[in-house]
Amino acid sequence: MPQVTAAFWALKVLATTLGETGGDAVSMSMDLGYLAGTGIFAVLFALAVSAQIRARRFHPLLYWTTIVASTTVGTTLADFATRSLGIGYTGGTALLSALLLTSLWAWHRSQGSIAVESVAGPRAEAYYWLTIMFSQTLGTALGDWAADTAGLGYLGGIGAFALALGAVAVLYWWTQLSRTLLFWAAFVLTRPFGAVVGDFLDKPLASGGLELSRYAASAVLAALILAGVLLLPQRAAQRAH
């Protein structure tokens, strides 16, 4: 697992934004549909997680590849649930919130901690990636709910989630609130923030977006992530003893 730094959060936002544009590119621009898109990205995510769990040390490129895979499958899975299954953004947000909380609860019950520093061994890491996948899927539904159901639009949604992340940062710097709780709050909130940014980039002008090419936006975001992984300093997190 990587050490949680400013570089970590910058890459996380880029990865969640890429997840939105990349997921939409496959399911919508390629016209493969949400179910087929979910199947494709689920296989890629499973392969990446398997490689990540087998790795004996922290590999930045592998880690961020797995994060991107989790956020793309989260995008298409959330869209399949909320649109194809017809449960709507509110229903999808409620269902995925319950799944995320259940994953965190099961992880804590099994391992005794949900802190990133405690992740050691295949079982703990499997819980970690399962929780991340649920958080990424929830983030897509929550971003859509804020922009559409709550009527905030893309710019309003970006502002709302930016304020929420700012509040988490204030709590981190000015209170003694659990760092583990604040980490997961920030981790979850960066996903809908990135999702709304991604929608703003590629949705039609009539809907409030910039109508950029999903392929071009995804390529630029992927290049920025690769540059960040290669150029920004990253170290493995110190494990709790």
Side-chain angles (χ1 to χ4, degrees):
M1 300 299 109
Q3 190 176 48
V4 179
T5 62
F8 173 91
W9 293 116
L11 288 169
K12 173 62 163 57
V13 170
L14 288 172
T16 57
T17 307
L18 173 58
E20 192 70 19
T21 60
D24 286 349
V26 170
S27 62
M28 299 170 70
S29 296
M30 292 183 182
D31 201 27
L32 295 180
Y34 301 127
L35 185 58
T38 298
I40 292 169
F41 289 125
V43 170
L44 295 176
F45 177 59
L47 291 173
V49 169
S50 178
Q52 176 73 21
I53 290 176
R54 290 199 306 270
R56 295 183 178 274
R57 60 185 180 88
F58 172 57
H59 298 278
L61 188 58
L62 174 59
Y63 177 84
W64 288 107
T65 296
T66 312
I67 288 289
V68 169
S70 74
T71 194
T72 48
V73 72
T75 295
T76 54
L77 181 57
D79 286 343
F80 176 74
T82 58
R83 300 172 187 175
S84 298
L85 296 183
I87 64 177
Y89 299 139
T90 302
T93 298
L95 173 62
L96 292 163
S97 295
L99 290 172
L100 174 61
L101 291 173
T102 300
S103 177
L104 287 168
W105 174 82
W107 179 6
H108 190 276
R109 183 176 176 84
S110 172
Q111 302 296 303
S113 174
I114 57 173
V116 173
E117 297 81 4
S118 71
V119 177
R123 176 172 292 187
E125 194 163 356
Y127 276 115
Y128 174 83
W129 288 111
L130 180 66
T131 301
I132 281 180
M133 192 272 289
F134 281 141
S135 76
Q136 307 284 41
T137 310
L138 167 62
T140 297
L142 184 57
D144 287 339
W145 178 87
D148 295 337
T149 305
L152 295 179
Y154 301 129
L155 290 178
I158 291 170
F161 290 117
L163 286 174
L165 286 167
V168 173
V170 168
L171 291 173
Y172 178 85
W173 290 110
W174 295 95
T175 74
Q176 297 301 314
L177 202 60
S178 167
R179 273 26 190 172
T180 299
L181 174 63
L182 292 175
F183 169 83
W184 285 110
F187 198 94
V188 170
L189 286 169
T190 50
R191 179 60 180 103
F193 177 77
V196 181
V197 170
D199 281 339
F200 175 66
L201 292 176
D202 65 27
K203 288 300 188 285
L205 293 171
S207 301
L210 296 179
E211 204 167 351
L212 301 178
S213 163
R214 293 188 178 106
Y215 301 124
S218 298
V220 170
L221 288 164
L224 289 173
I225 292 170
L226 181 59
V229 170
L230 296 177
L231 299 176
L232 295 176
Q234 296 184 72
R235 292 178 294 178
Q238 292 186 344
R239 290 180 178 175
H241 296 288

